């Protein structure tokens, strides 16, 4: 049985006190959602510690939105995987399209970040997805294949067993434009095949999340698809009620 996951990527939103309120709201309503759903919240680095305290005693896990390529040292402004693990993070989002697009992340940097995540016991949520031009040119399959081959194919079997993938078409992120449930299923099934080509039957156990304008009104239809194992939620994760309602989509 694959894990069902609803993860909230808060991006660069909320001040610490707001983040704590949001986390408390999610924890307060969590009981209304099936315990089979694994909730993860990914606050900005600056409030991970306080959010972790607010979530003590709940089953809601915490993730970071990125980590450094190096273990420690003279890398001004960077946050090491060991630091976020020490604050209680279990997950780290890596390769988000915003980091690829605005901060020049490449497969080369992502291989290093993945290694740091695993060395510190974190489960990466590795993001893949095409932009609008690539989708319109029919290149979306090739784009996600390359993003997987260049990074995920370098993992050991043991590491792969501890990986979450998020498919996030760039044209659907923050645009209100969602992939249809059929479009999501088509590419999720393809991603699973690409994973199976390297890792065999273990690909059946890998959770593949959909991200991109996922909200309470469309989550159930998307999550009903065979190869969609949950969502990586941006905007709708900033309201506890909406985030929880997405979890009810299972
Ligand atoms: P939105 O849900 O705001 O479209 O963002 C999706 C996303 O990028 C999650 O990582």
């Amino acid at each position: 049985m694959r894990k069902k996951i609803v993860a909230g990527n808060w991006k660069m939103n909320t001040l610490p006190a707001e983040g704590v309120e949001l986390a408390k709201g999610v924890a307060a309503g969590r009981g209304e959602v099936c315990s089979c759903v694994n909730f993860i919240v990914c606050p900005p680095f600056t409030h991970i510690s306080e959010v972790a305290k607010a979530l003590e005693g709940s089953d809601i896990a915490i993730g970071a939105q990125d980590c450094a390529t190096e273990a420690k040292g003279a890398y001004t402004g960077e946050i090491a995987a060991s630091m976020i693990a020490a604050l209680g993070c279990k997950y780290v989002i890596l390769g988000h399209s915003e980091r690829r697009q605005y901060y020049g992340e490449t497969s080369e940097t992502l291989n290093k970040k993945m290694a740091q995540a695993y060395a510190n016991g974190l489960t990466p949520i590795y993001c893949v997805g095409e932009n609008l031009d690539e989708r319109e040119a029919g290149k979306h399959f090739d784009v996600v294949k390359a993003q997987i081959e260049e990074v995920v194919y370098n993992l050991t079997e043991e590491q792969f067993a501890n990986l979450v993938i998020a498919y996030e078409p760039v044209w659907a992120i923050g645009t209100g434009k969602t992939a249809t449930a059929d479009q999501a299923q088509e590419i999720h099934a393809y991603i699973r095949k690409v994973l199976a080509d390297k890792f065999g039957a273990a690909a059946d156990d890998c959770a593949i999340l959909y991200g991109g304008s996922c909200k309470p009104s469309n989550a159930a239809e998307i999550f009903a698809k065979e190869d969609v194992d949950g969502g990586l939620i941006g905007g709708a994760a900033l309201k506890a009620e909406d985030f929880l309602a997405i979890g009810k989509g299972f």
Side-chain angles (χ1 to χ4, degrees):
M1 264 297 273
R2 288 196 290 271
K3 268 191 176 173
K4 298 180 194 327
I5 297 175
V6 175
N9 175 8
W10 296 1
K11 307 192 181 184
M12 197 171 72
N13 293 297
T14 70
L15 291 173
E18 294 164 340
V20 166
E21 276 314 294
L22 175 55
K24 283 184 179 164
V26 175
R30 194 269 171 271
E32 296 161 22
V33 185
C34 178
S35 59
C36 61
V37 178
N38 295 273
F39 280 107
I40 306 168
V41 294
C42 304
F45 291 125
T46 43
H47 1 322
I48 289 172
S49 196
E50 280 181 67
V51 166
K53 275 192 209 107
L55 291 177
E56 259 171 30
S58 83
D59 68 347
I60 299 162
I62 304 177
Q65 298 173 21
D66 187 27
C67 72
T69 55
E70 310 301 324
K72 64 175 182 172
Y75 301 99
T76 302
E78 288 295 282
I79 310 281
S82 61
M83 297 172 184
I84 55 182
L87 295 182
C89 285
K90 296 277 179 272
Y91 294 87
V92 60
I93 297 170
L94 291 177
H96 192 281
S97 61
E98 287 150 17
R99 297 221 53 92
R100 293 180 190 262
Q101 199 179 340
Y102 307 140
Y103 304 100
E105 285 206 343
T106 61
S107 295
E108 197 186 332
T109 48
L110 289 166
N111 280 314
K112 292 184 185 167
K113 290 183 179 196
M114 294 285 269
Q116 287 301 321
Y118 285 115
N120 289 283
L122 298 168
T123 298
I125 301 174
Y126 178 68
C127 303
V128 298
E130 79 286 354
N131 64 31
L132 186 59
D133 287 349
E134 291 161 343
R135 166 69 61 165
E136 285 176 346
K139 291 187 187 148
H140 43 296
F141 294 110
D142 292 343
V143 169
V144 299
K145 186 174 190 220
Q147 289 169 334
I148 290 169
E149 283 179 348
E150 290 169 14
V151 177
V152 178
Y153 273 24
N154 297 327
L155 301 182
T156 64
E157 283 178 15
E158 196 189 338
Q159 289 172 329
F160 177 68
N162 214 352
L163 175 73
V164 176
I165 302 257
Y167 167 68
E168 300 205 307
V170 178
W171 47 271
I173 296 177
T175 57
K177 232 176 137 178
T178 325
T180 64
D182 286 339
Q183 280 175 323
Q185 169 56 25
E186 179 186 42
I187 198 142
H188 280 230
Y190 176 76
I191 289 168
R192 200 175 303 286
K193 185 198 160 298
V194 173
L195 296 173
D197 286 345
K198 171 77 178 172
F199 296 101
D204 286 337
D205 298 329
C206 182
I208 306 176
L209 314 183
Y210 169 78
S213 299
C214 191
K215 44 189 182 266
S217 59
N218 59 26
E221 191 188 352
I222 297 172
F223 295 174
K225 293 293 179 183
E226 191 185 337
D227 288 290
V228 180
D229 305 305
L232 180 55
I233 319 300
L238 296 173
K239 271 178 79 181
E241 200 187 334
D242 287 353
F243 187 57
L244 291 162
I246 288 171
K248 291 177 190 162
F250 277 110

